[in-house]
Amino acid sequence: MTKILILIILFLAAVEDIKKMEVGHIYPASILALSFVNFFLKPYISLKFYLLNSLLVFGVLFLFWLLGGIGGGDVKVSTALSFYAGFRIWDILLFSSTIFLLYSLVLLKFKTKLPFMPAVAAGTLLSFL
């Protein structure tokens, strides 16, 4: 059930990113809230591991943000998603980057800036399958 809610949140974030090239604060906050619900429902999950993994994800994506390759909303949503996905976040980021590369090759002729959140939503869906 939480996977479906996460996918709905990511879909809404992707729509907003396409329209405005921004992602609101409500999306990472919602994903983070669902992640903490997940921790309470599954007490065997190591919170320490998830915190360290999320810190690593934030660090890597923050560097991409500093270089101008990714937006701040993408960093926030991906970091919040790492609290839910754990180590699978790296699969999600790999799928997302591949999907983004494919559609950027097609759409780059039309736009100079492309939203990354649709690729994150699609990459998460692939990872959850």
Side-chain angles (χ1 to χ4, degrees), residues 39-121:
F39 286 125
F40 292 118
L41 292 176
K42 299 176 181 175
Y44 55 86
I45 294 177
S46 170
L47 184 60
K48 210 183 299 185
F49 165 75
Y50 278 72
L51 287 172
L52 289 173
N53 188 49
S54 296
L55 185 63
L56 180 62
V57 168
F58 175 77
V60 169
L61 294 179
F62 185 73
L63 289 175
F64 280 107
W65 176 78
L66 284 175
L67 296 172
I70 192 171
D74 303 322
V75 174
K76 290 183 283 189
V77 169
S78 298
T79 302
L81 188 59
S82 71
F83 276 100
Y84 178 79
F87 197 67
R88 288 182 307 158
I89 190 65
W90 300 105
D91 293 337
I92 292 170
L93 290 174
L94 177 65
F95 291 146
S96 300
S97 299
T98 304
I99 292 167
F100 181 76
L101 178 65
L102 292 175
Y103 81 70
S104 68
L105 290 175
V106 173
L107 296 177
L108 199 56
K109 297 175 187 174
F110 304 106
K111 289 179 124 179
T112 56
K113 292 174 77 174
L114 295 172
F116 187 61
M117 196 50 57
V120 173

Side-chain angles (χ1 to χ4, degrees), residues 5 25 99:
L5 291 173
H25 298 294
I99 292 167

